[in-house]
Amino acid sequence: MSERIWTRNPGAQEREQKQQNGRQQSESEQESTKGDTLKCPECGGHVVTDDEHGETVCNDCGLVVTADSVDRGPEWRAFDAREKDEKSRVGAPTTNTMHDKGLSTNIDWRDRDAYGNSLGARQRQKMQRLRKWNERFRTRDSKERNLKQALGEIDRMASALGLPENVRETASVIYRRALDDDLLPGRSIEGVATSCTYAAARMAGVPRSLDEIAEVSRVEKSEVARTYRYIARELSLEVKPADPEQYVPRFASELGLSDESKMRARKLLKNAKEKGVHSGKSPVGLAAAAVYAAALLTNEKTTQAAVSDVADISEVTIRNRYHELLEAEENLGLV
């Protein structure tokens, strides 16, 4: 029986050898290129990039390593935020404060073309029809309509209360969770939106009292409190009790008090916590009383009526808490 000897095609061997040599050459080129970007090929010095002239230059000997590099930035210049927004051709980042997260398009209400010229009568009618259909496509089902109304309500109340953007984002996320968990049946959209705003403000450390929330809301205070307890329980929200010290900067700023008064008010509240005076008391009332007491101790002019208007707390509550705070400090031997 004759043995069959298998041999490789010489052409295949040559091709394999060429491919291997090509890979080695490309690897060596990459390594040399990498080294060139880090060190100057002449003196081995540090290489820096000059974006203004589009060149890569050695910082030691001044050798221009590369020239005419591609500038991947915008071809326009802007000198303020408004001009930057007008010239930018990219959209805003996604956000939870909009029902479609900002991914849809909007048709401007002004009937003008790209050059600022007014549109004709036929074009205006066409744009009006497009706006109507665009609005219908943005809210195609009841869930999106619900979300659009609620997020608009959250944005309105947050603006009226002076809450930052992160609170609006948190409130929007809480409302989306409540909507996904089917917690809205039997409750008004405004009530749940208000409760989410109240919870988000407390979680962010910029709390607002229920009275302040109820003033800008379209529902009663009792409904807000009831819905908030329900939402916090069902969604397992980690909302800590409001700290009276968190109200101090806002009250003091609205009254025009100095930083010394703010520090004195915080000290009064810390002493009250050590003595346990704050237990069972309204944090808004304690904060208002601390601000009033601090203003008197630092010889700054303010009245109980002014503090009452700012904090939306009765003057009787301020007087009672004022005496309790001073007694707590006297017991600690600080007055």
Side-chain angles (χ1 to χ4, degrees), residues 49-55:
T49 302
D50 186 359
D51 295 327
E52 185 178 354
H53 298 91
E55 298 174 344

Side-chain angles (χ1 to χ4, degrees), residues 98-118:
M98 300 180 69
H99 72 283
D100 52 12
K101 296 190 177 181
L103 296 176
S104 63
T105 56
N106 289 323
I107 301 177
D108 196 5
W109 59 271
R110 290 168 292 194
D111 292 323
R112 295 183 179 275
D113 59 12
Y115 300 99
N117 302 322
S118 299

Side-chain angles (χ1 to χ4, degrees), residues 92-104 138 147 151 169 173 176:
T94 57
T95 174
N96 285 305
T97 58
M98 300 180 69
H99 72 283
D100 52 12
K101 296 190 177 181
L103 296 176
S104 63
R138 288 185 64 192
L147 200 57
L151 297 183
E169 287 276 351
V173 172
R176 288 176 185 272

Side-chain angles (χ1 to χ4, degrees), residues 217-290:
S217 177
R218 294 190 174 100
V219 295
E220 297 294 331
K221 176 182 174 181
S222 57
E223 182 180 349
V224 175
R226 184 171 60 251
T227 307
Y228 162 73
R229 288 193 295 268
Y230 173 73
I231 294 294
R233 183 178 65 252
E234 294 296 325
L235 297 180
S236 301
L237 299 179
E238 296 182 358
V239 183
K240 298 179 181 179
D243 189 348
E245 292 186 37
Q246 295 174 338
Y247 294 93
V248 170
R250 183 160 56 92
F251 292 167
S253 298
E254 293 184 13
L255 291 168
L257 301 179
S258 64
D259 292 338
E260 183 184 0
S261 294
K262 296 179 186 178
M263 295 176 61
R264 193 70 178 87
R266 287 197 179 99
K267 186 177 180 182
L268 285 168
L269 291 172
K270 288 179 181 178
N271 296 333
K273 292 177 185 177
E274 292 181 10
K275 294 295 294 182
V277 175
H278 70 294
S279 179
K281 305 293 193 307
S282 168
V284 181
L286 280 172

Side-chain angles (χ1 to χ4, degrees), residues 44-250:
H46 181 62
V47 175
V48 295
T49 302
D50 186 359
D51 295 327
E52 185 178 354
H53 298 91
E55 298 174 344
T56 304
V57 186
C58 176
N59 202 22
D60 296 333
C61 66
L63 175 69
V64 179
V65 180
T66 58
D68 299 329
S69 60
V70 179
D71 183 8
R72 304 188 183 278
E75 79 283 1
W76 42 263
R77 292 190 302 169
F79 299 98
D80 55 22
R82 181 180 178 183
E83 189 176 358
K84 182 179 179 181
D85 293 338
E86 290 176 351
K87 290 185 177 181
S88 178
R89 293 187 293 275
V90 297
T94 57
T95 174
N96 285 305
T97 58
M98 300 180 69
H99 72 283
D100 52 12
K101 296 190 177 181
L103 296 176
S104 63
T105 56
N106 289 323
I107 301 177
D108 196 5
W109 59 271
R110 290 168 292 194
D111 292 323
R112 295 183 179 275
D113 59 12
Y115 300 99
N117 302 322
S118 299
L119 300 178
R122 181 171 297 181
Q123 286 292 330
R124 286 199 299 270
Q125 293 177 0
K126 180 181 179 180
M127 297 307 298
Q128 186 62 29
R129 289 196 301 271
L130 289 174
R131 289 191 195 97
K132 183 185 297 183
W133 280 106
N134 183 55
E135 192 65 24
R136 290 176 180 176
F137 279 118
R138 288 185 64 192
T139 54
R140 286 173 289 183
D141 54 22
S142 60
K143 182 178 179 180
E144 289 188 359
R145 287 193 294 271
N146 183 314
L147 200 57
K148 181 181 179 182
Q149 180 181 348
L151 297 183
E153 192 71 10
I154 289 173
D155 188 66
R156 181 189 66 81
M157 289 186 292
S159 298
L161 293 169
L163 296 174
E165 188 66 28
N166 65 314
V167 175
R168 307 181 192 196
E169 287 276 351
T170 305
S172 302
V173 172
I174 295 174
Y175 189 90
R176 288 176 185 272
R177 289 181 56 193
L179 186 62
D180 293 337
D181 292 353
D182 201 23
L183 302 180
L184 269 69
R187 291 167 180 82
S188 66
I189 295 175
E190 291 83 1
V192 178
T194 307
S195 303
C196 293
T197 306
Y198 176 67
R202 290 184 58 176
M203 293 170 69
V206 285
R208 297 294 186 268
S209 64
L210 273 175
D211 293 322
E212 292 176 300
I213 292 286
E215 284 182 2
V216 300
S217 177
R218 294 190 174 100
V219 295
E220 297 294 331
K221 176 182 174 181
S222 57
E223 182 180 349
V224 175
R226 184 171 60 251
T227 307
Y228 162 73
R229 288 193 295 268
Y230 173 73
I231 294 294
R233 183 178 65 252
E234 294 296 325
L235 297 180
S236 301
L237 299 179
E238 296 182 358
V239 183
K240 298 179 181 179
D243 189 348
E245 292 186 37
Q246 295 174 338
Y247 294 93
V248 170
R250 183 160 56 92

